Amino acid sequence: MGATEIEREATLAAIERVSERLADEKEHLTDLDSAIGDADHGSNMNRGFRAAREKTEEMDDANPAELVKTIGVTLVSEVGGAAGPLYGGSFMTASAELEDGLTAESTVAFAEAFLEKVKDRGSAEVGAKTMVDALTPAVHTYKKSVEQDDLPPVESLTKAVDACERGVKFTTPIRATKGRASYLGWRSVGHQDPGATSTLFILEAIREIAVEYLGDGDLDADATSPTVPDGEDVDEAMSTDEEPAVDEEA
Ligand code: ADP
Ligand code: MG
């Protein structure tokens, strides 16, 4: 199987996992939205991703960018409310960053374009108690982990999920100033934002698939570590009386 086919398969697997997760969390998301909204976020997200999964499964030979664009088109057309156009528009626009395939660099570009589009469309900054509060730390952490800390994609994604989770928690004690929850004013305080929560579920599902396809970061590090010899090195070390070489730079 070529690299393109694996990426295509991984993208379809991620869409499937996201759709399953959102189906599992339908009640949970609806409960959150009933406290500060109109109790439809769970069914919106479940319906949208189920439709996206059905459509993308029929797209023979589509590459990751085309599949992700279809998620966006489907969410925009199937899901009303705030979240449909916000998530949908962002998947559509950001999918262009994946044209050359799935790499650490292209996924960083995707994440940044995604966040930018959400902010553009919804004009919410961090602190308005929206999905932006979960997405922003996740995207910034992912970018920093890849570009500055040179971490492998899965490890970077794990850090992004942790940051996202902290972003979700941050939405609870603050007052909503955007979206339907803002109609409640101070009464929105003390409730976790549904859209920030669905962002976390989506990211967690993507991470699960990334681990399945790439292995987790620790395994990768062990495989390339100079302190863990592969079979040949072990044989060589056993066949000589010399002390095993020590890597000065290690
Ligand atoms: P609606 O509020 O129209 O019923 P949903 O319930 O599906 O739509 O989605 C609600 C979520 O959408 C909120 O929890 C919030 O995270 C997100 N949201 C609402 N308005 C905005 C906005 N202007 N910018 C970013 N996210 C927003
Ligand atoms: Mg709602």
Side-chain angles (χ1 to χ4, degrees):
M1 193 162 31
T4 328
E5 183 55 26
I6 293 173
E7 289 182 2
R8 179 187 135 72
E9 220 188 57
T11 307
L12 285 168
I15 295 169
E16 185 181 353
R17 186 64 55 89
V18 169
S19 149
E20 285 166 357
R21 181 72 195 274
L22 291 171
D24 290 347
E25 304 283 359
K26 185 178 151 190
E27 300 299 321
H28 181 183
L29 290 172
T30 290
D31 285 350
L32 293 175
D33 197 31
S34 64
I36 53 171
D38 56 355
D40 64 353
H41 191 59
S43 49
N44 282 347
M45 296 306 289
N46 179 43
R47 188 175 66 253
F49 265 89
R50 194 179 52 211
R53 177 182 171 183
E54 283 164 6
K55 281 204 184 130
T56 49
E57 273 171 356
E58 288 167 5
M59 291 170 67
D60 297 335
D61 300 329
N63 64 29
E66 290 162 337
L67 294 170
V68 172
K69 185 171 182 186
T70 300
I71 301 175
V73 173
T74 310
L75 293 182
V76 168
S77 69
E78 299 277 333
V79 183
L86 284 169
Y87 275 126
S90 297
F91 276 113
M92 274 169 73
T93 305
S95 67
E97 305 295 339
L98 304 177
E99 282 300 347
D100 294 329
L102 303 180
T103 62
E105 293 72 28
S106 74
T107 51
V108 167
F110 173 84
E112 282 189 294
F114 193 100
L115 172 61
E116 198 179 312
K117 188 73 185 174
V118 169
K119 291 175 75 176
D120 238 36
R121 247 198 145 106
S123 63
E125 291 296 330
V126 166
K129 199 180 181 96
T130 71
M131 59 176 80
V132 171
D133 296 340
L135 261 178
T136 304
V139 172
H140 289 182
T141 300
Y142 186 63
K143 182 180 165 72
K144 179 183 177 288
S145 301
V146 168
E147 292 182 356
Q148 286 177 38
D149 303 338
D150 227 5
L151 295 177
V154 174
E155 222 173 298
S156 302
L157 201 47
T158 300
K159 289 191 180 294
V161 168
D162 289 347
C164 188
E165 206 170 346
R166 289 193 291 276
V168 171
K169 288 190 178 131
F170 163 72
T171 64
T172 302
I174 62 177
R175 178 172 68 102
T177 54
K178 288 284 175 193
R180 206 178 280 278
S182 67
Y183 305 159
L184 293 177
W186 290 104
R187 279 182 291 141
S188 64
V189 167
H191 300 282
Q192 184 173 307
D193 180 63
T197 310
S198 60
T199 294
L200 175 63
F201 295 154
I202 292 170
L203 211 56
E204 282 178 344
I206 293 172
R207 184 189 170 274
E208 280 176 30
I209 296 302
V211 170
E212 278 176 28
Y213 278 78
L214 298 171
D216 67 32
D218 290 346
L219 288 176
D220 274 350
D222 280 348
T224 57
S225 165
T227 60
V228 180
D230 61 23
E232 255 176 55
D233 288 347
V234 172
D235 287 342
E236 233 176 63
M238 304 275 281
S239 70
T240 168
D241 293 336
E242 284 170 36
E243 288 288 308
V246 176
D247 188 344
E248 298 288 347
E249 279 166 280

